[in-house]
Coordinates of all heavy atoms in Angstrom, one line a residue:
M6 N 122.2 106.8 80.7 CA 122.4 106.4 79.3 C 121.6 105.2 79.0 O 121.5 104.3 79.9 CB 123.9 106.2 79.1 CG 124.6 107.4 78.8 SD 126.3 107.0 78.1 CE 127.2 108.0 79.3
R7 N 121.2 105.0 77.8 CA 120.3 103.9 77.4 C 121.2 103.0 76.5 O 121.5 103.3 75.4 CB 119.1 104.4 76.7 CG 118.1 103.4 76.4 CD 116.8 104.1 75.9 NE 115.9 103.2 75.5 CZ 115.4 103.1 74.2 NH1 115.8 103.9 73.3 NH2 114.5 102.1 73.9
Y8 N 121.5 101.8 77.0 CA 122.4 100.9 76.3 C 121.6 99.7 75.8 O 120.7 99.1 76.5 CB 123.5 100.3 77.3 CG 124.6 101.2 77.5 CD1 124.6 102.1 78.6 CD2 125.7 101.3 76.6 CE1 125.7 103.0 78.8 CE2 126.8 102.1 76.8 CZ 126.7 103.0 77.9 OH 127.8 103.8 78.2
P9 N 121.9 99.3 74.5 CA 121.2 98.1 74.0 C 121.9 96.9 74.7 O 123.1 96.9 74.9 CB 121.5 98.1 72.5 CG 122.7 99.0 72.4 CD 122.7 99.9 73.5
V10 N 121.1 95.8 74.9 CA 121.7 94.6 75.5 C 121.1 93.4 74.7 O 120.0 93.6 74.1 CB 121.3 94.4 77.0 CG1 122.0 95.5 77.8 CG2 119.8 94.3 77.2
V11 N 121.8 92.3 74.7 CA 121.2 91.1 74.0 C 121.2 90.0 75.0 O 122.1 89.8 75.8 CB 122.1 90.8 72.8 CG1 123.5 90.4 73.1 CG2 121.4 89.7 72.0
L12 N 120.1 89.3 75.1 CA 119.9 88.2 76.0 C 119.9 86.9 75.2 O 119.4 86.8 74.1 CB 118.5 88.3 76.7 CG 118.3 89.5 77.6 CD1 117.5 90.6 76.9 CD2 117.6 89.1 78.9
H13 N 120.6 85.9 75.8 CA 120.6 84.6 75.3 C 120.1 83.6 76.4 O 120.3 83.8 77.5 CB 122.0 84.2 74.9 CG 122.5 84.9 73.7 ND1 123.3 86.0 73.8 CD2 122.4 84.6 72.4 CE1 123.6 86.4 72.6 NE2 123.1 85.6 71.7
N14 N 119.4 82.5 75.9 CA 119.0 81.5 76.9 C 119.1 80.2 76.2 O 118.4 79.9 75.2 CB 117.5 81.8 77.3 CG 117.0 80.8 78.3 OD1 116.2 80.0 78.0 ND2 117.5 80.9 79.5
D15 N 120.0 79.4 76.8 CA 120.1 78.0 76.4 C 119.1 77.1 77.2 O 118.8 77.5 78.4 CB 121.5 77.5 76.6 CG 122.5 78.2 75.6 OD1 122.1 78.5 74.5 OD2 123.6 78.5 76.1
P16 N 118.7 76.0 76.7 CA 117.8 75.1 77.5 C 118.5 74.8 78.9 O 119.7 74.6 78.9 CB 117.7 73.9 76.7 CG 118.0 74.3 75.3 CD 119.0 75.4 75.4
N17 N 117.7 74.8 79.9 CA 118.2 74.5 81.3 C 119.2 75.4 81.8 O 120.1 75.0 82.6 CB 118.7 73.0 81.3 CG 117.7 72.0 80.9 OD1 116.6 72.1 81.3 ND2 118.1 71.1 80.1
S18 N 119.2 76.7 81.4 CA 120.1 77.7 82.0 C 119.4 79.0 82.2 O 118.3 79.2 81.7 CB 121.3 77.9 81.1 OG 120.9 78.6 79.9
D19 N 120.0 79.9 82.9 CA 119.5 81.3 83.1 C 119.7 82.1 81.8 O 120.4 81.7 80.9 CB 120.2 82.0 84.2 CG 119.8 81.4 85.6 OD1 118.8 80.7 85.7 OD2 120.5 81.8 86.6
Y20 N 119.1 83.3 81.8 CA 119.3 84.2 80.7 C 120.7 84.9 80.9 O 120.9 85.4 82.0 CB 118.2 85.3 80.6 CG 116.9 84.7 80.1 CD1 116.0 84.2 81.0 CD2 116.6 84.8 78.8 CE1 114.7 83.7 80.6 CE2 115.4 84.3 78.3 CZ 114.5 83.8 79.3 OH 113.3 83.3 78.8
G21 N 121.5 84.8 79.9 CA 122.8 85.6 79.9 C 122.6 86.9 79.2 O 121.8 87.0 78.2
V22 N 123.2 87.9 79.7 CA 123.1 89.3 79.1 C 124.4 89.8 78.7 O 125.4 89.8 79.5 CB 122.4 90.3 80.1 CG1 122.2 91.6 79.4 CG2 121.1 89.8 80.6
T23 N 124.5 90.3 77.5 CA 125.8 90.9 77.0 C 125.4 92.4 76.7 O 124.4 92.7 76.1 CB 126.3 90.2 75.7 OG1 126.5 88.8 76.0 CG2 127.6 90.8 75.2
I24 N 126.3 93.3 77.1 CA 126.2 94.7 76.8 C 127.3 95.0 75.8 O 128.4 95.3 76.1 CB 126.3 95.5 78.0 CG1 125.3 95.0 79.1 CG2 126.1 97.0 77.7 CD1 125.5 95.6 80.5
P25 N 127.0 95.0 74.5 CA 128.0 95.1 73.4 C 128.8 96.4 73.5 O 130.0 96.3 73.2 CB 127.2 95.1 72.1 CG 125.9 94.4 72.5 CD 125.7 94.7 73.9
D26 N 128.3 97.5 74.0 CA 129.0 98.7 74.0 C 129.9 98.8 75.3 O 130.7 99.8 75.4 CB 128.1 99.9 74.0 CG 127.3 100.0 72.7 OD1 128.0 99.9 71.6 OD2 126.1 100.0 72.7
L27 N 129.8 97.9 76.2 CA 130.6 97.9 77.4 C 131.4 96.5 77.4 O 131.0 95.6 78.1 CB 129.8 98.0 78.7 CG 129.0 99.3 78.8 CD1 128.1 99.3 80.1 CD2 130.0 100.5 78.9
P28 N 132.5 96.4 76.6 CA 133.2 95.2 76.5 C 133.6 94.6 77.8 O 134.1 95.4 78.7 CB 134.4 95.5 75.6 CG 134.0 96.7 74.9 CD 133.1 97.5 75.8
G29 N 133.3 93.3 78.0 CA 133.7 92.7 79.3 C 132.6 92.8 80.3 O 132.8 92.2 81.4
C30 N 131.5 93.4 80.0 CA 130.4 93.6 81.0 C 129.3 92.6 80.6 O 128.7 92.7 79.6 CB 129.9 95.0 81.0 SG 128.7 95.3 82.3
F31 N 129.1 91.6 81.5 CA 128.1 90.6 81.3 C 127.2 90.4 82.6 O 127.6 90.9 83.7 CB 128.8 89.2 81.1 CG 129.7 89.2 79.9 CD1 131.0 89.5 80.1 CD2 129.2 89.0 78.6 CE1 131.9 89.5 79.0 CE2 130.1 89.1 77.5 CZ 131.4 89.3 77.8
S32 N 126.1 89.8 82.4 CA 125.2 89.5 83.6 C 124.3 88.4 83.2 O 124.3 87.8 82.1 CB 124.4 90.8 83.8 OG 123.7 90.6 85.0
A33 N 123.5 88.0 84.2 CA 122.5 86.9 84.0 C 121.4 87.0 85.0 O 121.5 87.7 86.0 CB 123.3 85.5 84.2
G34 N 120.3 86.2 84.7 CA 119.2 86.1 85.6 C 118.3 85.0 85.2 O 118.3 84.5 84.1
A35 N 117.5 84.5 86.2 CA 116.6 83.4 86.0 C 115.5 83.7 85.0 O 114.9 82.9 84.3 CB 116.0 82.9 87.3
S36 N 115.0 85.0 85.0 CA 114.0 85.5 84.1 C 114.5 86.6 83.3 O 115.6 87.2 83.6 CB 112.8 85.9 84.9 OG 113.1 87.1 85.7
I37 N 113.8 87.0 82.3 CA 114.2 88.2 81.5 C 114.3 89.4 82.4 O 115.3 90.2 82.4 CB 113.3 88.4 80.3 CG1 113.5 87.3 79.3 CG2 113.6 89.8 79.7 CD1 112.6 87.3 78.1
D38 N 113.2 89.7 83.2 CA 113.2 90.8 84.1 C 114.4 90.8 85.1 O 115.1 91.8 85.3 CB 111.9 90.9 84.9 CG 110.8 91.3 84.1 OD1 111.0 92.0 83.0 OD2 109.6 91.1 84.5
E39 N 114.7 89.7 85.7 CA 115.8 89.5 86.6 C 117.1 89.8 85.9 O 118.0 90.5 86.4 CB 115.8 88.2 87.3 CG 116.9 88.0 88.3 CD 116.8 86.6 89.0 OE1 115.7 86.2 89.4 OE2 117.9 85.9 89.0
A40 N 117.3 89.3 84.7 CA 118.5 89.4 83.9 C 118.7 90.9 83.5 O 119.8 91.4 83.6 CB 118.4 88.6 82.6
L41 N 117.6 91.6 83.2 CA 117.8 93.0 82.8 C 118.1 93.8 84.1 O 119.0 94.8 84.0 CB 116.5 93.5 82.2 CG 116.2 93.0 80.8 CD1 114.9 93.4 80.3 CD2 117.3 93.4 79.8
E42 N 117.5 93.5 85.2 CA 117.9 94.2 86.5 C 119.3 94.0 86.8 O 120.0 94.9 87.2 CB 117.0 93.8 87.6 CG 115.6 94.3 87.5 CD 114.7 93.7 88.6 OE1 115.2 93.3 89.7 OE2 113.4 93.8 88.4
S43 N 119.8 92.8 86.7 CA 121.2 92.4 86.9 C 122.1 93.2 86.0 O 123.2 93.6 86.3 CB 121.3 90.9 86.7 OG 121.8 90.3 87.9
A44 N 121.7 93.3 84.7 CA 122.5 94.0 83.7 C 122.7 95.5 84.1 O 123.8 96.0 83.8 CB 121.9 93.8 82.3
V45 N 121.6 96.1 84.6 CA 121.7 97.5 85.0 C 122.8 97.6 86.1 O 123.7 98.5 86.0 CB 120.4 98.0 85.5 CG1 120.5 99.4 86.1 CG2 119.4 98.1 84.3
E46 N 122.7 96.8 87.1 CA 123.7 96.8 88.2 C 125.1 96.5 87.7 O 126.1 97.2 88.1 CB 123.4 95.7 89.2 CG 122.1 96.1 90.0 CD 121.7 94.9 91.0 OE1 122.6 94.1 91.3 OE2 120.5 94.9 91.4
A47 N 125.3 95.6 86.8 CA 126.6 95.3 86.2 C 127.1 96.5 85.4 O 128.3 96.8 85.5 CB 126.5 94.0 85.3
A48 N 126.3 97.1 84.6 CA 126.7 98.2 83.8 C 127.1 99.4 84.7 O 128.1 100.1 84.4 CB 125.6 98.6 82.8
E49 N 126.3 99.7 85.7 CA 126.7 100.8 86.6 C 128.0 100.5 87.3 O 128.9 101.4 87.4 CB 125.6 101.0 87.6 CG 124.3 101.6 87.0 CD 123.1 101.6 88.0 OE1 123.2 101.0 89.1 OE2 122.1 102.3 87.6
C50 N 128.2 99.3 87.7 CA 129.5 98.9 88.3 C 130.6 99.1 87.3 O 131.7 99.6 87.7 CB 129.4 97.5 88.9 SG 130.4 97.2 90.3
H51 N 130.4 98.6 86.1 CA 131.4 98.7 85.1 C 131.8 100.1 84.7 O 133.0 100.4 84.6 CB 130.9 97.9 83.8 CG 131.9 97.7 82.8 ND1 132.7 96.6 82.7 CD2 132.2 98.4 81.7 CE1 133.5 96.7 81.7 NE2 133.2 97.8 81.0
V52 N 130.8 101.0 84.6 CA 131.0 102.4 84.3 C 131.8 103.0 85.4 O 132.7 103.8 85.2 CB 129.7 103.1 83.9 CG1 129.9 104.6 83.9 CG2 129.2 102.6 82.6
E53 N 131.4 102.7 86.6 CA 132.1 103.3 87.8 C 133.6 102.9 87.8 O 134.4 103.7 88.0 CB 131.4 102.9 89.1 CG 132.0 103.6 90.3 CD 131.1 103.5 91.5 OE1 130.1 102.8 91.5 OE2 131.4 104.3 92.5
G54 N 133.8 101.7 87.4 CA 135.2 101.2 87.3 C 136.0 101.9 86.2 O 137.2 102.3 86.4
L55 N 135.3 102.2 85.1 CA 136.0 102.9 84.0 C 136.3 104.3 84.5 O 137.4 104.8 84.2 CB 135.1 103.0 82.8 CG 134.8 101.7 82.0 CD1 133.7 101.9 81.0 CD2 136.1 101.2 81.4
L56 N 135.4 105.0 85.2 CA 135.7 106.3 85.6 C 136.8 106.4 86.7 O 137.6 107.2 86.7 CB 134.4 106.9 86.2 CG 133.3 107.3 85.2 CD1 132.0 107.7 85.9 CD2 133.8 108.3 84.2
T57 N 136.8 105.4 87.6 CA 137.8 105.3 88.6 C 139.2 105.1 88.0 O 140.2 105.7 88.4 CB 137.5 104.1 89.6 OG1 136.3 104.3 90.2 CG2 138.6 104.0 90.6
D58 N 139.2 104.4 86.8 CA 140.5 104.2 86.1 C 140.8 105.3 85.1 O 141.7 105.2 84.3 CB 140.5 102.9 85.4 CG 140.4 101.7 86.4 OD1 140.8 101.9 87.6 OD2 140.1 100.6 86.0
S59 N 140.0 106.4 85.2 CA 140.1 107.5 84.3 C 140.0 107.1 82.8 O 140.6 107.7 81.9 CB 141.5 108.3 84.5 OG 141.5 108.7 85.8
E60 N 139.1 106.2 82.5 CA 138.9 105.7 81.1 C 137.6 106.4 80.7 O 136.7 106.7 81.5 CB 138.8 104.2 81.0 CG 140.1 103.5 81.4 CD 140.0 102.0 81.2 OE1 139.3 101.6 80.4 OE2 140.7 101.3 82.0
D61 N 137.4 106.5 79.4 CA 136.2 107.1 78.8 C 135.1 106.1 78.9 O 135.3 104.9 78.9 CB 136.4 107.4 77.3 CG 137.4 108.6 77.1 OD1 137.5 109.4 78.0 OD2 138.1 108.6 76.1
I62 N 133.9 106.6 79.0 CA 132.7 105.8 79.0 C 132.2 105.6 77.6 O 132.0 106.6 76.9 CB 131.6 106.4 79.8 CG1 132.0 106.7 81.3 CG2 130.3 105.6 79.8 CD1 131.0 107.5 82.1
P63 N 132.2 104.4 77.1 CA 131.7 104.2 75.7 C 130.3 104.6 75.6 O 129.4 104.3 76.4 CB 131.8 102.6 75.5 CG 132.8 102.2 76.6 CD 132.6 103.1 77.7
L64 N 130.0 105.3 74.5 CA 128.6 105.7 74.2 C 127.9 104.6 73.6 O 128.4 103.8 72.9 CB 128.6 106.9 73.3 CG 129.3 108.2 73.8 CD1 129.3 109.3 72.7 CD2 128.5 108.7 75.0
P65 N 126.6 104.5 73.9 CA 125.8 103.4 73.4 C 125.6 103.6 71.9 O 125.4 104.8 71.4 CB 124.4 103.6 74.1 CG 124.4 104.9 74.8 CD 125.8 105.4 74.9
A66 N 125.6 102.6 71.2 CA 125.3 102.6 69.7 C 123.9 102.0 69.4 O 123.3 101.4 70.3 CB 126.4 101.8 69.0
A67 N 123.5 102.2 68.2 CA 122.2 101.6 67.9 C 122.2 100.1 67.8 O 123.3 99.5 67.4 CB 121.7 102.2 66.5
I68 N 121.2 99.4 68.1 CA 121.1 98.0 68.0 C 121.5 97.5 66.6 O 122.3 96.5 66.5 CB 119.7 97.5 68.3 CG1 119.4 97.6 69.8 CG2 119.5 96.0 67.9 CD1 118.0 97.2 70.2
E69 N 121.1 98.2 65.6 CA 121.4 97.8 64.2 C 122.9 97.7 64.0 O 123.4 96.9 63.2 CB 120.8 98.9 63.2 CG 119.3 98.9 63.1 CD 118.7 99.7 64.2 OE1 119.4 100.4 65.0 OE2 117.4 99.6 64.3
S70 N 123.7 98.5 64.7 CA 125.2 98.4 64.5 C 125.8 97.2 65.0 O 126.9 96.8 64.7 CB 125.8 99.7 65.1 OG 125.7 99.7 66.5
H71 N 125.0 96.5 65.9 CA 125.5 95.2 66.5 C 124.9 94.0 65.9 O 125.4 92.9 66.1 CB 125.2 95.2 68.0 CG 125.8 96.3 68.8 ND1 127.2 96.5 68.9 CD2 125.3 97.4 69.5 CE1 127.5 97.5 69.7 NE2 126.3 98.1 70.0
Q72 N 123.8 94.1 65.2 CA 123.1 93.0 64.7 C 123.9 92.2 63.6 O 123.6 91.0 63.4 CB 121.8 93.4 64.1 CG 120.8 93.7 65.2 CD 119.4 94.1 64.7 OE1 119.3 94.8 63.7 NE2 118.4 93.7 65.3
E73 N 124.9 92.8 63.0 CA 125.7 92.1 62.1 C 126.7 91.1 62.7 O 127.2 90.2 62.1 CB 126.5 93.0 61.2 CG 125.6 93.9 60.3 CD 126.4 94.9 59.5 OE1 127.6 94.8 59.4 OE2 125.7 95.7 58.9
D74 N 126.9 91.2 64.0 CA 127.8 90.4 64.8 C 127.1 89.0 65.0 O 126.0 88.9 65.6 CB 128.1 91.0 66.1 CG 129.2 90.2 66.9 OD1 129.2 89.0 66.8 OD2 129.9 90.8 67.7
S75 N 127.7 87.9 64.4 CA 127.0 86.6 64.4 C 126.8 86.1 65.8 O 126.0 85.2 66.1 CB 127.8 85.6 63.6 OG 129.1 85.5 64.1
S76 N 127.6 86.5 66.8 CA 127.5 86.0 68.2 C 126.2 86.5 68.8 O 125.8 86.0 69.9 CB 128.7 86.4 69.0 OG 128.8 87.8 69.1
F77 N 125.5 87.5 68.2 CA 124.3 88.1 68.7 C 123.1 87.6 67.9 O 122.0 88.0 68.2 CB 124.3 89.6 68.8 CG 125.5 90.2 69.6 CD1 126.2 91.3 69.1 CD2 125.9 89.6 70.8 CE1 127.2 91.8 69.8 CE2 127.0 90.1 71.5 CZ 127.6 91.2 71.0
S78 N 123.3 86.8 66.9 CA 122.2 86.5 65.9 C 121.0 85.9 66.5 O 119.9 86.1 66.0 CB 122.8 85.7 64.8 OG 123.2 84.4 65.3
D79 N 121.1 85.1 67.5 CA 120.0 84.4 68.1 C 119.5 85.0 69.4 O 118.7 84.4 70.1 CB 120.2 82.9 68.2 CG 121.4 82.6 69.2 OD1 122.1 83.5 69.5 OD2 121.5 81.5 69.7
G80 N 119.9 86.2 69.7 CA 119.6 86.8 70.9 C 118.3 87.6 70.9 O 117.8 87.9 69.8
I81 N 117.8 88.0 72.0 CA 116.7 88.9 72.2 C 117.3 90.3 72.6 O 118.0 90.4 73.5 CB 115.8 88.4 73.3 CG1 115.2 87.0 73.1 CG2 114.6 89.4 73.6 CD1 114.6 86.4 74.3
W82 N 116.9 91.3 71.8 CA 117.4 92.7 72.1 C 116.5 93.4 73.0 O 115.3 93.3 72.9 CB 117.6 93.4 70.7 CG 118.7 92.9 70.0 CD1 118.7 92.0 69.0 CD2 120.1 93.3 70.1 NE1 120.0 91.7 68.5 CE2 120.9 92.5 69.2 CE3 120.8 94.1 71.0 CZ2 122.3 92.6 69.1 CZ3 122.2 94.2 70.9 CH2 122.9 93.5 70.0
A83 N 117.1 94.2 73.9 CA 116.4 95.1 74.8 C 117.3 96.3 75.1 O 118.4 96.4 74.6 CB 116.0 94.3 76.1
F84 N 116.7 97.2 75.9 CA 117.5 98.3 76.4 C 117.5 98.4 77.9 O 116.6 98.0 78.5 CB 116.9 99.7 75.9 CG 117.2 99.9 74.4 CD1 116.2 99.6 73.5 CD2 118.3 100.5 74.0 CE1 116.4 99.8 72.1 CE2 118.5 100.7 72.6 CZ 117.6 100.4 71.7
I85 N 118.6 98.9 78.4 CA 118.7 99.2 79.9 C 119.1 100.6 80.0 O 119.8 101.2 79.2 CB 119.7 98.3 80.6 CG1 121.1 98.4 80.0 CG2 119.3 96.8 80.6 CD1 122.2 97.8 80.9
D86 N 118.6 101.2 81.1 CA 119.0 102.6 81.4 C 120.0 102.6 82.5 O 119.8 102.0 83.6 CB 117.8 103.4 81.9 CG 116.8 103.8 80.8 OD1 117.3 104.2 79.7 OD2 115.6 103.6 80.9
V87 N 121.2 103.2 82.3 CA 122.3 103.2 83.2 C 122.2 104.7 83.8 O 122.5 105.6 83.1 CB 123.6 102.9 82.6 CG1 124.7 103.1 83.6 CG2 123.6 101.5 82.0
N88 N 121.9 104.7 85.1 CA 121.8 106.0 85.8 C 123.1 106.4 86.4 O 123.5 105.9 87.4 CB 120.7 105.9 86.9 CG 120.4 107.2 87.5 OD1 121.1 108.2 87.4 ND2 119.4 107.2 88.3
L89 N 123.8 107.4 85.7 CA 125.1 107.8 86.2 C 125.1 108.5 87.5 O 126.1 108.6 88.2 CB 125.8 108.7 85.1 CG 126.0 108.0 83.8 CD1 126.7 109.0 82.8 CD2 126.8 106.7 83.9
S90 N 123.9 109.0 87.9 CA 123.8 109.7 89.2 C 123.9 108.8 90.4 O 124.1 109.2 91.5 CB 122.5 110.5 89.3 OG 121.4 109.7 89.4
K91 N 123.8 107.5 90.1 CA 123.9 106.5 91.2 C 125.4 106.1 91.5 O 125.7 105.4 92.5 CB 123.2 105.2 90.8 CG 121.7 105.2 90.8 CD 121.2 103.9 90.6 CE 119.7 103.9 90.8 NZ 119.1 102.5 90.6
L92 N 126.3 106.7 90.7 CA 127.7 106.4 91.0 C 128.1 107.0 92.3 O 127.6 108.0 92.8 CB 128.6 107.0 89.8 CG 128.3 106.4 88.4 CD1 129.2 107.1 87.4 CD2 128.4 104.9 88.4
S93 N 129.1 106.4 92.9 CA 129.6 106.9 94.2 C 130.0 108.3 94.1 O 130.5 108.8 93.1 CB 130.7 106.0 94.7 OG 131.9 106.3 94.0
G94 N 129.9 109.0 95.3 CA 130.3 110.4 95.3 C 131.7 110.6 95.0 O 132.1 111.6 94.4
E95 N 132.6 109.7 95.4 CA 134.0 109.8 95.1 C 134.3 109.8 93.6 O 135.0 110.6 93.1 CB 134.8 108.7 95.7 CG 136.3 108.7 95.4 CD 137.0 109.9 96.1 OE1 136.5 110.5 97.0 OE2 138.1 110.2 95.6
V96 N 133.6 108.9 92.8 CA 133.8 108.9 91.4 C 133.2 110.1 90.7 O 133.8 110.7 89.8 CB 133.1 107.6 90.8 CG1 133.1 107.6 89.3 CG2 133.9 106.4 91.3
R97 N 132.0 110.6 91.2 CA 131.5 111.8 90.6 C 132.4 113.0 90.9 O 132.6 113.8 90.0 CB 130.1 112.1 91.2 CG 129.0 111.2 90.6 CD 127.6 111.7 90.9 NE 127.4 112.0 92.3 CZ 126.8 111.1 93.1 NH1 126.4 109.9 92.7 NH2 126.6 111.4 94.4
R98 N 133.0 113.0 92.1 CA 133.9 114.1 92.4 C 135.2 114.1 91.5 O 135.6 115.1 90.9 CB 134.4 114.0 93.9 CG 135.3 115.2 94.3 CD 135.9 115.0 95.7 NE 136.7 113.8 95.8 CZ 137.9 113.7 95.3 NH1 138.5 114.7 94.7 NH2 138.6 112.5 95.5
M99 N 135.7 112.9 91.3 CA 136.8 112.7 90.4 C 136.5 113.1 89.0 O 137.3 113.8 88.3 CB 137.3 111.2 90.4 CG 138.0 110.8 91.7 SD 138.2 109.0 91.8 CE 139.1 108.7 90.4
K100 N 135.3 112.8 88.5 CA 134.9 113.1 87.2 C 134.7 114.6 87.0 O 135.2 115.2 86.0 CB 133.5 112.4 86.9 CG 133.1 112.6 85.5 CD 131.8 111.9 85.2 CE 131.3 112.2 83.8 NZ 130.0 111.6 83.5
L101 N 134.2 115.3 88.0 CA 134.0 116.7 88.0 C 135.4 117.4 88.0 O 135.6 118.3 87.2 CB 133.2 117.2 89.2 CG 133.0 118.7 89.4 CD1 132.3 119.2 88.1 CD2 132.2 119.0 90.6
E102 N 136.3 116.9 88.8 CA 137.7 117.5 88.8 C 138.3 117.3 87.5 O 139.0 118.2 87.0 CB 138.5 116.9 89.9 CG 138.1 117.3 91.3 CD 138.9 116.6 92.4 OE1 139.7 115.7 92.1 OE2 138.6 116.8 93.6
A103 N 138.2 116.2 86.9 CA 138.8 115.9 85.5 C 138.2 116.9 84.5 O 138.9 117.4 83.7 CB 138.6 114.5 85.2
A104 N 136.9 117.1 84.6 CA 136.2 118.0 83.6 C 136.8 119.4 83.8 O 137.0 120.1 82.8 CB 134.7 117.9 83.8
I105 N 136.9 119.8 85.0 CA 137.5 121.2 85.3 C 138.9 121.3 84.8 O 139.2 122.3 84.1 CB 137.4 121.5 86.8 CG1 135.9 121.6 87.2 CG2 138.2 122.8 87.1 CD1 135.7 121.7 88.7
Q106 N 139.7 120.3 85.0 CA 141.1 120.3 84.5 C 141.2 120.4 83.0 O 142.0 121.1 82.4 CB 141.9 119.1 85.0 CG 142.2 119.2 86.5 CD 142.8 117.9 87.0 OE1 143.0 117.0 86.3 NE2 143.2 118.0 88.3
K107 N 140.2 119.7 82.3 CA 140.2 119.8 80.8 C 139.9 121.2 80.3 O 140.4 121.6 79.3 CB 139.2 118.8 80.3 CG 139.7 117.3 80.3 CD 138.7 116.4 79.7 CE 139.1 115.0 79.8 NZ 138.1 114.1 79.2
R108 N 139.1 121.9 81.1 CA 138.7 123.3 80.7 C 139.8 124.3 80.9 O 139.9 125.3 80.2 CB 137.5 123.7 81.4 CG 136.2 123.0 81.0 CD 135.0 123.5 81.7 NE 133.9 122.7 81.4 CZ 132.8 122.6 82.1 NH1 132.7 123.4 83.2 NH2 131.8 121.9 81.8
E109 N 140.7 124.0 81.8 CA 141.8 125.0 82.1 C 142.9 125.0 81.1 O 143.1 124.2 80.3 CB 142.3 124.6 83.5 CG 141.3 124.9 84.6 CD 141.8 124.5 86.0 OE1 142.9 123.8 86.1 OE2 141.2 124.9 87.0

């Protein structure tokens, strides 16, 4: 899944990354590239936790839907790709079992 992210950088600090569609999921890095790589790892971990807790995975929204939020007004927008196939085998198995149960 492709999630929009917003990066902020205050003087004398690393880049902070917020993933608006995954509330509570944050990351950081010394450079933009490092921050985005860190954000991918954080998002994958966050999604895996949601699945483990049998919660729905929030779908990504368009950047435009988040731009009205004043806390993102001075940020740099980018996208990250969250590869769900990297999730642990146990979580994938649980997800598959849940999907089968929904069909029954």
Side-chain angles (χ1 to χ4, degrees):
M6 277 193 233
R7 191 169 171 241
Y8 282 94
V10 299
V11 63
L12 295 100
H13 288 95
N14 182 251
D15 295 323
N17 302 319
S18 73
D19 286 349
Y20 287 89
V22 183
T23 303
I24 307 169
D26 296 310
L27 297 175
C30 187
F31 303 94
S32 188
S36 67
I37 291 175
D38 285 340
E39 185 180 306
L41 291 173
E42 287 177 21
S43 237
V45 170
E46 291 175 20
E49 289 170 350
C50 209
H51 190 86
V52 167
E53 187 162 10
L55 291 172
L56 290 172
T57 300
D58 293 341
S59 299
E60 295 183 32
D61 292 333
I62 300 171
L64 296 175
I68 288 175
E69 292 82 7
S70 68
H71 298 297
Q72 286 181 319
E73 293 178 11
D74 186 330
S75 63
S76 60
F77 304 139
S78 63
D79 61 343
I81 301 167
W82 287 95
F84 286 96
I85 59 168
D86 286 314
V87 178
N88 186 349
L89 299 181
S90 69
K91 286 186 173 183
L92 300 179
S93 72
E95 179 66 18
V96 171
R97 283 197 306 264
R98 183 187 62 76
M99 290 169 53
K100 184 178 177 185
L101 178 59
E102 288 175 1
I105 291 170
Q106 288 175 355
K107 285 182 180 180
R108 290 183 186 159
E109 295 177 344

